[in-house]
Every structure is written in structure tokens, then in C-alpha cells.
Amino acid sequence: MQKGFLKAMGTLLVTTSILIGCSSDAEEPKDSSADYYELDNDIEDIGDILGEHDIVILGESTHWSSEIAKQKVDLIDYLAEEHGFNKLFLETGDSEFNYYKESGLPIIEGVNHLYQQEMFEKYWDGKTEGIRALPMDWSPNFTDNRSASISVLEKNIVDEISEYDLELAEEFKRSEFALRDWFSKGVRQGKKMGYFERPTDIYEDIISQSFFGDLTSETKNYILSRQDNIEKYYSKISFEDGAASYNDYREIGMSEKVLEQMESNDKAIVWVANLHSNYDVTSIEYTNETYVEDKMNERVESLGALLRESEHSVYNVGLFHNEADNYELLPEDYATPRSEADETLEGYIGNRVQKNVFIDFATSDFIEENQYTVYWAGYYDYRMVPQEQFDGLIYIDHIKE
């Protein structure tokens, strides 16, 4: 196990209140009492349960499997076509996403690695499937996962500002690098970084210039978005004592961005890691040493809980997988063995059914209400009671080569 590699790839994406049982928003479906529903054969029944709600959270136990992504995409397409879901919120930075979208540049360059797969192309304009992808994160996107990279976005903005003020353009470029460098060291490298400090507020300086109104709309919106995210989130975070404050502000930011983009009659799907969607992070025991180092046990906020507190009806689906032959989206070969112990959630379910299934906690007692060890990417362990954290779950039995 290459722990250092996994931590570098996973910490940014995996950073992750108490009601016993199911969400108060999750209404019991009519005439439904199955122990579980098969994903491939019972999608209409699953759709009837999920389709009653304004927001469906679809979690996942790894960002690195295209097979899991395909299972979720099939369900999303069905919910869009048959139940009117029209917005898909993704765990990707809004400043970059919106710039690439507005400028007409390939949107694939402005989203996190997971969403660069071909299966997501149909969601960028919202026309193909009737459901449109939207960003809900404030964390910066990195070109080629390198904080020092100069993206097409930044080159274009620097060139544009240079036409009016070369010094401001260079200061903008330095500020963008400093932000990514600070963030990368604190989140990905686990270094003890203090608050994000700037000798000058370059974004405000640019906004105050007489030429600001003459910049392209995508450039103006990017600068305004970055400035807003710094004030609301980046400036509140210190990595001097782990990533607890980052984890909490990430949850707060994502929930705020989802709710700000919800309009009347919208029905939305939220695509996130399980560790964001949990209803009660304070009752989870983060046992893996990486989680301990990152002060995950000090977390108090979660996207799932914050959305449940809103005016919208929410159904929260956790997703867990058992053995994996390969995680296709990782640049290195990586497999995880089958869990067989009943003390693990994956083992408990896998010992009783070897299919891909959906379980609705309101109508099924297929899973005993106990605390189980569960895994992120088959390796990072933590302990929880599933019924306290989700309204239901999807189980993927085997990620094949």
C-alpha cells in the first residue's frame, strides 16, 4: 500500500448531524418492503423511492472508479428522465468551472479529474439528458494536479489584464500561485500552514480599476468569484493543527453553493464522497491514522446535515463497494481485497448478497443497526452506524478489472 501516494490523491477529495434511523425528510415509500432492490433490475422501484424528494445525495466510497461512476450515471439519467431531476451538483471548484463554461473553452479542463470522463459530457449543457451539471465546491482546481501549473484560464486572464496594467497582471498571477501553493501544502502535503496571508488584495485592486468593466464577462466573474471564496472560506482556514477547520468550511461552502443555485421546482442530485454526505459526523469514529492526523474526529459540519436542515426534502444515499480489482482513474495500479468479516459493512452485506443492490432503511431491516467498520477506497477505515448517517445505501459487490 502506497500510503503517501493515496494521501496525496485522496485527502483533498475525501475530506468529509444525530438522528437515529432515517432522515425526517425521507418519507416511507408506498407498498414497498423489499430487503433490497437490484440496481440492474429494480430501477423503477428505486426511482419511486428517490423521486419523491427535492434533493438526492449520491455518495461514493471512492472517486477513482469509472465502474461506480457508470452505475451512478445510469441512475441519474433515469431520475432525470422519469422523475424530473434537472440539476447535478459536482464536487468541483466553481471559479474555474464557470470560467471555462462562460468562455467556451473545453469544460473538461476546468473540472476535477473524476468528471473528465466521457460519460459526463452530456451534462455540461443540460440538453442531452435534461439535467445540467453545476459546481458546488470552492476548493481550487489544479492543472495536472500541480499547484505551479499555469492553466489556460490564468494565461488568458493575465494576458487580458496586461493590456491595461502589466504590474496588476503579474500580481494576479503570483496571487493565484500563492493560493494554490498554500492550499496544496496544507491539504495535500499535511504541512502546518497558517492562515492564507496576502500582502495586498489583488482581486479587490483589480475590481476597483476603471478598466474592470471592460474585461470579458468570464474574467470579471472569475475575479469576483475568487474574491468571494477567499473572504468566505479560504481566509477562515488554518492548517496549523490539522485540517479540521478546512473540512468544516468545505462542508459549509458546498451546502451554501447548492442551496444558492436551487430555484423553485428544481430537483437536484448531489454527487459527493460518503464522508461529505454523512448526517452526523460527530458520531463517526475516524480510526485510520491519516484521518487521525487530519483531525477528522474534530469535525462538526457535514454537507448532508446542512442540506437536511434546509427547506428541501432530502434523501441521502451512501454508496459502498467491496473488493476492487483496479481503480481505473488512479495513475498507478491499486487493488483492494474482499471484505469478509461481518464487523465490516462491506463484509456484512457481501456475505449475504453478491449483487449490486439498493437498500432503503425506512422499509428494510436487511442490515442490523450496529456500528460497522467501513472503508474509503478499500483502505481508509472508519466506524459508523449506517442508519444514523444515511436514508439508504447502494452496495457495489465487485469492481472488476
Side-chain angles (χ1 to χ4, degrees), residues 92-112 116 124 135 140-144 149-157 176 180 217-219 221-222 226:
T92 195
D94 60 346
S95 300
E96 294 84 355
F97 181 100
N98 290 328
Y99 180 89
Y100 280 89
K101 180 75 173 176
E102 293 171 22
S103 65
L105 291 168
I107 191 67
I108 194 172
E109 298 179 17
V111 297
N112 280 336
Q116 293 177 5
W124 302 138
N141 289 338
F142 291 74
T143 301
D144 299 327
S149 295
I150 300 299
S151 66
V152 172
L153 174 159
E154 286 156 339
K155 184 180 186 304
N156 287 355
I157 295 178
E176 287 285 293
R180 293 196 308 269
S217 60
E218 58 266 25
T219 290
N221 290 335
Y222 179 86
R226 187 68 105 199

Side-chain angles (χ1 to χ4, degrees), residues 287-300:
T287 46
N288 186 272
E289 63 178 333
T290 296
Y291 293 150
V292 174
E293 291 172 3
D294 286 344
K295 302 297 179 70
M296 291 285 281
N297 287 301
E298 296 180 13
R299 290 181 60 203
V300 296

Side-chain angles (χ1 to χ4, degrees), residues 74-265:
D74 288 345
L75 178 56
I76 288 167
D77 290 350
Y78 180 83
L79 291 174
E81 182 176 354
E82 299 296 332
H83 293 276
F85 284 82
N86 63 315
K87 290 184 175 178
L88 172 61
F89 290 101
L90 302 179
E91 206 175 323
T92 195
D94 60 346
S95 300
E96 294 84 355
F97 181 100
N98 290 328
Y99 180 89
Y100 280 89
K101 180 75 173 176
E102 293 171 22
S103 65
L105 291 168
I107 191 67
I108 194 172
E109 298 179 17
V111 297
N112 280 336
H113 182 65
L114 165 64
Y115 310 118
Q116 293 177 5
Q117 300 178 80
E118 184 178 351
M119 70 181 80
F120 289 94
E121 290 182 2
K122 58 190 174 185
Y123 299 131
W124 302 138
D125 61 10
K127 296 177 182 178
T128 307
E129 298 294 334
I131 184 169
R132 179 164 58 101
L134 293 165
M136 64 172 181
D137 204 353
W138 52 264
S139 300
N141 289 338
F142 291 74
T143 301
D144 299 327
N145 282 314
R146 292 182 291 118
S147 63
S149 295
I150 300 299
S151 66
V152 172
L153 174 159
E154 286 156 339
K155 184 180 186 304
N156 287 355
I157 295 178
V158 169
D159 289 347
E160 191 173 345
I161 297 174
S162 294
E163 295 180 10
Y164 302 93
D165 191 314
L166 183 59
E167 184 177 343
L168 278 179
E170 289 301 312
E171 184 59 36
F172 168 81
K173 182 167 65 176
R174 286 192 293 269
S175 180
E176 287 285 293
F177 170 75
L179 177 66
R180 293 196 308 269
D181 184 58
W182 168 82
F183 187 86
S184 178
K185 288 176 179 176
V187 174
R188 298 185 174 186
Q189 301 175 37
K191 294 186 177 180
K192 293 184 178 298
M193 306 295 293
Y195 290 96
F196 179 56
E197 297 180 356
R198 301 175 290 170
T200 180
D201 187 341
I202 186 59
Y203 305 96
E204 185 59 40
D205 289 347
I206 295 172
I207 293 168
S208 67
Q209 299 298 312
S210 60
F211 66 75
F212 183 72
D214 298 327
L215 299 175
T216 60
S217 60
E218 58 266 25
T219 290
K220 288 188 291 188
N221 290 335
Y222 179 86
I223 292 170
L224 290 167
S225 173
R226 187 68 105 199
Q227 169 75 345
D228 187 58
N229 284 337
I230 289 174
E231 289 184 356
K232 288 182 177 178
Y233 311 116
Y234 291 104
S235 64
K236 308 291 180 61
I237 296 166
S238 170
F239 298 105
E240 284 285 2
D241 191 28
S245 63
Y246 160 71
N247 292 328
D248 282 342
Y249 274 103
R250 189 152 182 235
E251 306 303 312
I252 293 169
M254 288 196 292
S255 67
E256 290 178 345
K257 291 180 184 296
V258 168
L259 297 175
E260 287 168 0
Q261 296 177 86
M262 288 287 290
E263 300 175 358
S264 60
N265 300 320

Side-chain angles (χ1 to χ4, degrees), residues 34 58 60 114 147 162 167 184 198 259 265 276 301 313-314 341 346 365 374:
L58 284 183
E60 60 190 10
L114 165 64
S147 63
S162 294
E167 184 177 343
S184 178
R198 301 175 290 170
L259 297 175
N265 300 320
H276 294 303
E301 303 286 1
S313 170
V314 175
E346 297 85 354
D365 58 2
V374 298

